[in-house]
Amino acid sequence: EAPLSTIGAAFVAKVLTVGEQTVTLGIWDTAGSERYEAMSRIYYRGARAAVVCYDLTNSSSFQRAKFWVNELQNCEEGCRIYLCGTKSDLLEEDRRKRDVDFHDVQDYADEVKAELFETSSKTGQNVDELFQKVAEDYVHFTAFQEMTEEKGVDLGQKSSSYLYSCCHH
Ligand SMILES: Nc1nc2c(ncn2[C@@H]2O[C@H](COP(=O)(O)OP(=O)(O)OP(=O)(O)O)[C@@H](O)[C@H]2O)c(=O)[nH]1
């Protein structure tokens, strides 16, 4: 069956483990099309991470992904960006289907300080790895930053309540 287009956004929570901690990611799947542009903004406001997807077999989708990366960089300081090339299964079938060069995207990712993953929702390739990285980065960078900046935690103290309040144990 053909999947339906996203109208507005869909939400899913994903629970992951990073070391000793359990992290619950709240994931909004927003529509990438121009038609819903204004609506998508509502959902990524305040986001700590954004997975910007493009189709590896369609170079214009990568141009569109760059638009969203710019948006995020301009509007959401503190939002980590993950570039996600989709449909990698099609490239395994036929390499000639690749329309977006891996190294070009890697250079761009370095430039905008984004991570890069090539995934397939059909085979599941690299999907868990992508979300695991999002959760790990959240724990390593964002949670720590928020804990020190917003709560003014004394770094000399061994434990803080912030991580406990934002992550389940
Ligand atoms: N072969 C293959 N096809 C895929 C993959 N992911 C999505 N597709 C196909 O690509 C088309 C679009 O997929 P969607 O997941 O609806 O794409 P989207 O960008 O979320 O679309 P909107 O919800 O309208 O924003 C569908 O026909 C899917 O079957 C994949 O990993 N491999």
Side-chain angles (χ1 to χ4, degrees):
E1 269 178 56
L4 298 173
S5 291
T6 309
I7 298 173
F11 180 83
V12 68
K14 195 171 168 66
V15 182
L16 294 168
T17 306
V18 178
E20 304 269 280
Q21 288 180 49
T22 303
V23 178
T24 304
L25 299 180
I27 307 164
W28 286 100
D29 172 14
T30 61
S33 75
E34 245 161 292
R35 199 165 164 197
Y36 301 111
E37 212 168 279
M39 216 188 282
S40 294
R41 288 200 180 93
I42 296 167
Y43 294 98
Y44 68 66
R45 270 192 65 184
R48 290 299 175 218
V51 179
V52 180
C53 298
Y54 59 94
D55 178 345
L56 289 163
T57 67
N58 175 352
S59 61
S60 66
S61 71
F62 180 59
Q63 298 310 314
R64 183 76 185 145
K66 284 180 169 176
F67 163 84
W68 284 111
V69 169
N70 273 326
E71 285 283 306
L72 289 160
Q73 287 193 315
N74 292 334
C75 311
E76 295 299 326
E77 212 193 318
C79 178
R80 301 180 67 80
I81 298 172
Y82 300 79
L83 283 161
C84 173
T86 62
K87 308 190 187 178
S88 62
D89 58 285
L90 294 178
L91 309 183
E92 306 225 320
E93 280 170 17
D94 181 357
R95 279 174 173 208
R96 285 167 302 180
K97 285 193 177 156
R98 182 183 278 276
D99 200 24
V100 185
D101 182 72
F102 177 82
H103 297 286
D104 288 350
V105 185
Q106 187 62 70
D107 288 348
Y108 176 71
D110 291 345
E111 194 184 308
V112 298
K113 298 187 176 66
E115 295 288 336
L116 170 60
F117 287 80
E118 292 192 342
T119 65
S120 165
S121 18
K122 194 173 173 186
T123 65
Q125 189 182 33
N126 243 356
V127 174
D128 287 342
E129 288 83 350
L130 164 64
F131 286 107
Q132 188 63 36
K133 179 75 172 133
V134 171
E136 281 170 12
D137 288 349
Y138 176 73
V139 170
H140 293 148
F141 300 108
T142 318
F144 180 75
Q145 197 183 348
E146 286 179 355
M147 178 178 88
T148 51
E149 280 174 9
E150 292 173 19
K151 304 280 170 175
V153 169
D154 177 356
L155 290 174
Q157 282 179 355
K158 214 176 168 207
S159 66
S160 79
S161 61
Y162 189 81
L163 284 174
Y164 291 87
S165 66
C166 72
C167 309
H168 302 285
H169 283 263

